[in-house]
Amino acid sequence: MTDYTDEQLLTLLRAALEAENPPPTNVDAVADLTYAWRTIDADLAALSYDSVLEPATTRDDGSVRTLAFELNDDVRIDIRIDAERTRIVGQVEPAAEGTAELIHREGAETVDIDDFGVFVFEAIASGPVSILIKVGDRSVRTEWFLP
């Protein structure tokens, strides 16, 4: 009888299971869609302003990117992304306490929104992101954007 380590046993088991029943080829795509479905009840705030698309002014050195998302005339979410693309500071109008969730490929991070409607994400994942705002029983999600 051969003595196997736990890691060796797991490797043998994984190989045996994959040989008999390989995962479907679209399992990653289905998982992504399922994860996105959890915010289906959120209203979608459309991009209404992006400083990258505006001509530079003498007061704007381009180091900070500013975005604005609006839902009708009801909700506005202003976003500022620092020059290093590592920090997002946002504000929800009308101001209210709640939570903000930064959704990205690797998952999501949640932070509190203070009573001025301000929230801060100290790290930004690479790739497209969306922000889900939850205030009371209302959820509003931004369009996906690249920081």
Side-chain angles (χ1 to χ4, degrees), residues 32-44 101-103 108 130-134 139-142 144:
D32 288 343
L33 290 171
T34 302
Y35 182 73
W37 188 259
R38 69 188 173 75
T39 61
I40 196 67
D41 291 333
D43 293 323
L44 183 62
E101 183 176 8
L102 183 67
I103 303 165
S130 178
I131 297 175
L132 176 64
I133 303 295
K134 294 181 182 177
S139 296
V140 176
R141 185 176 56 83
T142 67
W144 289 90

Side-chain angles (χ1 to χ4, degrees), residues 26-62:
N26 65 346
V27 73
D28 289 336
V30 170
D32 288 343
L33 290 171
T34 302
Y35 182 73
W37 188 259
R38 69 188 173 75
T39 61
I40 196 67
D41 291 333
D43 293 323
L44 183 62
L47 181 67
S48 61
Y49 175 79
D50 187 344
S51 62
V52 169
L53 304 176
E54 298 292 319
T57 65
T58 56
R59 300 179 71 181
D60 179 16
D61 64 0

Side-chain angles (χ1 to χ4, degrees), residues 44-132:
L44 183 62
L47 181 67
S48 61
Y49 175 79
D50 187 344
S51 62
V52 169
L53 304 176
E54 298 292 319
T57 65
T58 56
R59 300 179 71 181
D60 179 16
D61 64 0
S63 64
V64 176
R65 182 176 177 197
T66 305
L67 301 159
F69 297 88
E70 294 185 36
L71 176 64
N72 305 323
D73 289 327
D74 193 25
V75 176
R76 181 179 168 104
I77 303 166
D78 291 315
I79 307 284
R80 290 177 54 91
I81 303 169
D82 69 357
E84 293 79 29
R85 307 293 187 243
T86 58
R87 186 171 195 246
I88 291 177
V89 177
Q91 184 170 21
V92 180
E93 295 175 21
E97 291 182 23
T99 60
E101 183 176 8
L102 183 67
I103 303 165
H104 48 83
R105 274 189 275 224
E106 288 85 34
E109 286 94 40
T110 303
V111 296
D112 290 329
I113 300 172
D114 68 19
D115 56 343
F116 294 107
V118 176
F119 58 91
V120 179
F121 291 104
E122 294 294 341
I124 304 173
S126 63
V129 297
S130 178
I131 297 175
L132 176 64

